[in-house]
Amino acid sequence: MTLARTLASSLLVLLGCGTIAVVEPPPPAPPPPPPPSGAQRVLFVGNSLTYTNSLPNTVASIARAAGNPIETLMAAGADLALIDHINGGSNALSLLGQGGIDVVVLQQGPTPAGMCRDSLVLWTRMFDERIKAAGARTAVMMSWSGAPGSGQDWDFDGVRLTFQLATSAVNGTFLPAGEAWRAAWREDPSLKFYGLDGYHPSPLGTYLAALEIYERISGVDVRTLAPAAFSGNSPLGIPEAQIRLLQRAAHDANTNFPASPGLAVPPMGNWSGAGHC
């Protein structure tokens, strides 16, 4: 792909590949207790799907309760696609350049086939170069399709394939957060993982995504954890039976969808059916 075409395709999808609504970041929360020296450091790069309910702090709370602390950092802004971070829309590259990061979790909104899928593969490759240069490894988080009528209600299978291909393109680690939601719904379809707009996560949806991410990054089977749930740095009051269900769902997603998808990435340019991202 020529540089001109790369820039053109990026400009065409900048507004779409983020989220359908701008959700402003909440006021800064009190910082969690500092992790011990030598704790794994994970940088989350994304948009409102990451900062709503503070996915990074939720992961850190799970890890801390498990006795396996993880230090999390976040570079996120409203409606940002990965290319926005690369182009200076956040402090992601600055944080990465400071060194000491072990894992970078890349998150983008549900990204359908066509131009948007091609762009995500391209942008993940661009990010991966910088991540590897900083001595870290790339993890790609599968988001979720929106609820019916949300305007982002693409099929989950197509969304998953997009993120699997982006992961395969850089030999990264696949984080099937959206598939954890589906696994939980198979046990209890009434679980409310969406917020009021049918797209951003509820605290329950963020907690389940955090369980999946923690298990994959740490290697700890979350079914063995105590029945404690969190929303950011605070406890999330839900019944023990529901916590156990969510732990099983996170484990099922990681079991059924390998960390290394190993898919052949097709040539870019198959943009049939692409509209907005």
Side-chain angles (χ1 to χ4, degrees):
M1 173 178 283
T2 65
L3 177 61
R5 185 179 177 192
T6 298
L7 293 175
S9 65
S10 298
L11 289 171
L12 282 171
V13 296
L14 273 179
L15 295 178
C17 286
T19 64
I20 58 171
V22 174
V23 175
E24 294 299 328
S37 177
Q40 187 171 205
R41 301 181 80 223
V42 180
L43 170 62
F44 286 76
V45 177
N47 54 37
S48 53
L49 298 188
T50 287
Y51 67 67
T52 297
N53 311 313
S54 190
L55 176 61
N57 283 345
T58 306
V59 171
S61 293
I62 293 170
R64 191 165 54 249
N68 181 32
I70 291 175
E71 180 182 359
T72 59
L73 302 90
M74 178 173 66
D79 215 31
L80 295 186
L82 291 187
I83 190 64
D84 298 309
H85 296 279
I86 294 171
N87 288 338
S90 78
N91 63 339
L93 297 184
S94 175
L95 290 172
L96 190 58
Q98 293 172 15
I101 304 295
D102 298 296
V103 181
V104 178
V105 174
L106 300 179
Q107 173 268 310
Q108 188 167 282
T111 306
M115 179 172 62
C116 294
R117 178 178 288 170
D118 284 356
S119 296
L120 181 63
V121 170
L122 171 64
W123 300 338
T124 301
R125 283 172 166 155
M126 294 167 68
F127 238 122
D128 183 68
E129 293 176 1
R130 293 160 171 81
I131 292 168
K132 284 188 170 68
R137 58 190 173 94
T138 300
V140 180
M141 174 186 153
M142 171 200 170
S143 55
W144 39 85
S145 177
S150 67
Q152 297 259 337
D153 49 340
W154 291 293
D155 69 290
F156 268 83
D157 290 338
V159 170
R160 184 191 68 247
L161 180 58
T162 292
F163 289 94
Q164 286 176 312
L165 287 169
T167 306
S168 296
V170 299
N171 194 28
T173 299
F174 179 54
L175 304 173
E179 287 295 344
W181 283 24
R182 294 177 89 185
W185 277 327
R186 284 192 287 271
E187 282 202 56
D188 183 355
S190 72
L191 289 167
K192 298 186 184 304
F193 296 140
Y194 293 115
L196 295 177
D197 65 358
Y199 177 58
H200 289 88
S202 67
L204 197 66
T206 296
Y207 170 61
L208 177 50
L211 279 173
E212 182 279 315
I213 292 169
Y214 171 72
E215 180 176 271
R216 179 134 285 174
I217 289 176
S218 69
V220 174
D221 184 338
V222 293
R223 298 175 301 174
T224 67
L225 301 183
F230 302 92
S231 177
N233 298 328
S234 302
L236 180 63
I238 58 175
E240 178 176 346
Q242 192 172 85
I243 295 174
R244 294 303 187 192
L245 186 158
L246 300 181
Q247 291 172 339
R248 290 194 300 273
H251 183 77
D252 285 351
N254 283 327
T255 299
N256 293 325
F257 299 95
S260 300
L263 301 179
V265 181
M268 298 180 70
N270 179 24
W271 292 352
S272 59
H276 63 288
C277 301

